[in-house]
Amino acid sequence: MACCLVCFSGEPIEGEARRPNQWQVPLKEGCSKDPCHCCFGFWCAECAAMKLRKKSLDARGEWPAGYKCCQGVIPACACFKPGEMGEADNACCCLCLEAWCCTGISTSSTYIFVMETYQLDNDPCYNKFVRFNNCIQILACFCTIASIFISDLREAAQCVRLIADFVFRTLMGCINAQVNFEIDYQLQRGGGAYKPVAGAVAGAYPPQQNMGGQVPPQPHYAQGYPQGAPPQKQQQYPPQQGQQAPPVVAYGQPPVQQGYQPPQQGYPAGGV
């Protein structure tokens, strides 16, 4: 089977964005690094798909509210609308149906979900393995259909189907081991909770601009000033009896000089 993988490309899909981080364990090493979860994914791929999805959502603190059918990887089509079918209200039941009815899609959706959560780049071995699996599944389907009309092909079709099932189960086991190892690693290093990419949150300011409870400057403050520097806010004191209160100067407007005279009386000698 390893020789067959050489015939397939490991390049990502055209137009797919590259990500900065790498998987801790490549797909081809998943079985040796986490053999227990690899065997679990091979012999019971449906249960492994359920466990892996719940674990990936728990790592982000989003179970069950954040659950969607196929985690939104499969786009909406006709009556199939992920996130709008009440999945979060019946997360366990919906996840069970997804894992047992669409095992491959469910496992791949979790793989992509974890990859996007931790900004992991695509694994070339994953691309090769998935393409090889797709081809062998199509071949098995054609052989099964042909065996209906040609009885002599029935044994050959059964052999091809057996090989296709073995390839699929092996892929499920390797994905389960790789993703489970990655989630454990992220949890150990404190990266289990989802953290947005730096700069993705609008209105974020550097920490030093918010120290001391100060209000960070707003972009529109600089409008109307050639040098781009907003006027400094002056500390104001309550007006003395018989004095006129100074006008309030709004940010973004030039200071008003008309009609205001500074008070003649000074402050007490002791200072303020």
Side-chain angles (χ1 to χ4, degrees):
M1 184 172 64
C3 297
C4 297
L5 295 179
V6 180
C7 302
F8 296 87
S9 172
E11 295 297 322
I13 301 174
E14 184 178 357
E16 183 178 358
R18 305 304 298 266
R19 299 174 179 85
N21 302 323
Q22 300 295 327
W23 292 86
Q24 295 304 309
V25 174
L27 185 70
K28 60 184 178 181
E29 299 179 8
C31 183
S32 60
K33 294 293 184 179
D34 196 349
C36 292
H37 281 89
C38 184
C39 292
F40 179 43
F42 181 90
W43 293 108
C44 190
E46 297 80 7
C47 296
M50 294 176 59
K51 180 178 181 295
L52 201 62
R53 177 70 60 79
K54 185 179 184 299
K55 186 174 184 177
S56 64
L57 287 170
D58 279 335
R60 290 180 52 162
E62 296 182 359
W63 174 265
Y67 170 74
K68 299 179 182 179
C69 185
C70 298
Q71 224 40 49
V73 174
I74 306 299
C77 178
C79 61
F80 178 74
K81 298 179 180 179
E84 302 179 8
M85 301 183 294
E87 305 101 301
D89 298 332
N90 302 278
C92 292
C93 180
C94 293
L95 179 57
C96 181
L97 291 174
E98 175 190 335
W100 284 87
C101 297
C102 306
T103 308
I105 295 177
S106 179
T107 304
S108 296
S109 298
T110 305
Y111 179 92
I112 297 174
F113 175 69
V114 171
M115 184 171 63
E116 293 177 349
T117 296
Y118 303 113
Q119 291 296 294
L120 303 171
D121 200 15
N122 212 321
D123 188 348
C125 186
Y126 173 84
N127 296 333
K128 291 183 178 182
F129 212 146
V130 169
R131 287 163 181 163
F132 171 58
N133 175 74
N134 293 343
C135 288
I136 196 68
Q137 298 299 331
I138 294 174
L139 178 62
C141 182
F142 282 144
C143 290
T144 302
I145 295 175
S147 65
I148 297 176
F149 304 98
I150 304 175
S151 58
D152 295 339
L153 294 179
R154 290 179 181 176
E155 292 185 1
Q158 291 178 356
C159 291
V160 175
R161 171 53 60 189
L162 181 62
I163 295 173
D165 290 342
F166 178 80
V167 171
F168 174 77
R169 293 284 173 173
T170 303
L171 177 59
M172 295 296 100
C174 291
I175 291 178
N176 189 62
Q178 182 188 30
V179 175
N180 184 78
F181 191 95
E182 185 67 33
I183 295 176
D184 288 342
Y185 169 79
Q186 296 292 343
L187 289 173
Q188 290 176 3
R189 65 186 293 269
Y194 175 67
K195 297 179 180 179
V197 181
V201 180
Y205 296 91
Q208 61 270 19
Q209 294 184 0
N210 291 328
M211 295 178 61
Q214 299 178 2
V215 179
Q218 300 298 324
H220 66 274
Y221 287 175
Q223 296 178 0
Y225 294 88
Q227 289 79 13
Q232 299 295 328
K233 184 178 180 180
Q234 302 294 334
Q235 185 176 6
Q236 299 179 2
Y237 297 90
Q240 301 294 332
Q241 186 176 4
Q243 295 180 359
Q244 182 181 1
V248 178
V249 180
Y251 286 132
Q253 300 294 334
V256 180
Q257 301 295 340
Q258 299 84 353
Y260 171 68
Q261 298 296 332
Q264 300 299 327
Q265 296 86 351
Y267 290 99
V272 178

